[in-house]
Each structure stands twice: as C-alpha cells, then as structure tokens.
Amino acid sequence: MTSLLSATAAVHGRNGQSCLPIHNSEGGGATIPVKFDGKNLHVGHAEQDLAIDGSGIDHGITQAPYERRFSPYEFNGGTTLAISGPDYAVVAADPRLSSGYEILSRNVSKLHPLTEKCVLGSAGCKTDVDQLRSVLDIKMKVYKHNHRRPMATPSVAQMLGNTLYYKRFFPYYSFNVLAGIDSEGKGAVYSYDAIGSFERTPFSASGSGQSFLVPLMDNVI
C-alpha cells in the first residue's frame, strides 16, 4: 500500500484529485479516497475517515534532512614506535586508550609478545587489535605444536602479513609494528599497512603520532 509520504506527495502533485492508486501484486484498479486541505491529510478508511495532521511530522527527509551513519570501526588512538640495531630491537607504545576526546584508560598496553624474541605493537581499534592478537596466538601455538620450536621473527612477520591480507575486504582497523631479533641475532623491525603489505625497516611508527615520530627518527637515526 502506498505510504503516507508518497500519498502526500501524490496529492500535492495531483492538485486536489480525490483518489490514489494502490500498488499490489494482484493487479486491478483499486484506489484510496484522500483529501488534502493544505494542512491535514484525510485518508479514507473502510469504516471512517482517518484524519492525519501532517503539519508537524518531520520524517528526516522532507523538512529537515539529516544523515544517519554507522561505522563498525572506532579509532582508540595510541602510538607505537620500534627501532632496530645491530644486535637489538626496541619497541615502545603509550598506554592510553581513548575515544574521541574521552580518555577511557591510562593503563592499556599496545604491546603483545608473540615469542621470546618478537613483540607486536598495535594501535587503532581496540576490539580489532584484540581479535588480531587472538588469531596470531592461535597460529603461533599450532606452529609450535607441529614443529616443536617457536617461530622465527621473519616467519612471524610473514604470518602477520598473510593474516592481514586474508581480511583485506573487511580489514582489521589495526596499525601494526613488529620488532624482534632474527636468526642471525640482528634487530628486525617490520612496518605494515592495513591489508598486510610490509617491509623491513630500521625503524617504524604507527598510530596517531606516526606523522610526528617518523620525521624525528629520520633526523636522529
């Protein structure tokens, strides 16, 4: 049956015609008797006429348009930084969890150890970061169970890239930095984008402070 909005628009368009067609799957020429006096819309009913005051109704379309938006992501802020050296790697992150202008906590770690020689730093959406950590932990346990040894840092870097790429159509809202020691005892830092493309770099930063830290590291290191 024709909705109230389309009925009102049709009455305006027909300039006082008293009948509107009913669109139904059975066909036929059924109509609804209507009457509009400039303020009130009267829709005919089987038993009585139903008077509808349409002057004060705001459906968000006709009088005051507004936008409804939903996003499954929430940026919880944070900054991570990793630096590699000849025989070491350092990774650090701030402990603040925020949402917009609100600070939710000042004691939430953005670092997650994957092995004894490898640490993941992640900033972004807290729920996606937690989910990514859970997936990586499961894969690490399966690898250790099958091979009887922990995964090497370059292998962890590749596994993280594959995991992110697997979710490329609905990616984790997580900005990652991986730091550790490789099989030769050298420091290794890997920088990632949202869908798993990565490279080994002397240093890397991610999160809301990335644009400040990367130029600083360029001048210092």
Side-chain angles (χ1 to χ4, degrees):
M1 183 174 287
T2 307
S3 67
L4 174 62
L5 288 178
S6 58
T8 306
V11 171
H12 280 290
R14 286 170 173 79
N15 193 20
Q17 291 185 10
S18 59
C19 292
L20 293 175
I22 299 176
H23 301 283
N24 55 59
S25 58
E26 299 178 357
T31 59
I32 306 174
V34 296
K35 183 175 62 175
F36 186 73
D37 58 9
K39 181 178 181 182
N40 296 324
L41 173 66
H42 298 269
V43 181
H45 195 266
E47 299 179 356
Q48 60 181 358
D49 286 347
L50 179 62
I52 302 175
D53 182 8
S55 60
I57 300 177
D58 181 11
H59 299 279
I61 300 174
T62 56
Q63 299 182 21
Y66 57 89
E67 182 179 0
R68 292 184 177 92
R69 179 179 298 178
F70 169 76
S71 174
Y73 298 120
E74 171 73 18
F75 183 64
N76 297 122
T79 303
T80 64
L81 172 66
I83 303 171
S84 63
D87 55 355
Y88 68 88
V90 179
V91 58
D94 70 295
R96 178 178 293 181
L97 179 68
S98 61
S99 177
Y101 294 103
E102 181 180 3
I103 298 175
L104 304 177
S105 175
R106 289 184 171 87
N107 191 27
V108 176
S109 177
K110 295 177 179 61
L111 304 180
H112 182 69
L114 296 174
T115 67
E116 294 181 354
K117 298 181 179 181
C118 184
V119 176
L120 173 67
S122 303
C125 180
K126 180 64 164 60
T127 53
D128 279 10
V129 170
D130 289 343
Q131 177 64 22
L132 177 61
R133 290 174 177 178
S134 298
V135 171
L136 294 177
D137 286 340
I138 292 172
K139 291 184 177 182
M140 299 292 295
K141 290 179 181 178
V142 171
Y143 181 91
K144 189 173 183 179
H145 176 78
N146 292 335
H147 299 277
R148 297 293 189 268
R149 60 184 176 86
M151 191 180 295
T153 298
S155 300
V156 176
Q158 184 64 57
M159 180 192 68
L160 176 57
N162 294 345
T163 303
L164 295 174
Y165 186 74
Y166 177 78
K167 288 276 291 181
R168 63 191 179 279
F169 296 115
F170 190 15
Y172 294 112
Y173 195 31
S174 174
F175 308 100
N176 303 285
V177 170
L178 188 71
I181 304 297
D182 62 15
S183 57
E184 298 178 356
K186 298 179 181 180
V189 169
Y190 298 88
S191 179
Y192 291 82
D193 68 1
I195 58 173
S197 178
F198 69 97
E199 63 176 341
R200 184 168 177 172
T201 59
F203 61 87
S204 181
S206 68
S208 55
Q210 180 183 26
S211 59
F212 297 97
L213 288 178
V214 171
L216 177 63
M217 293 297 104
D218 283 332
N219 289 321
V220 172
I221 298 179

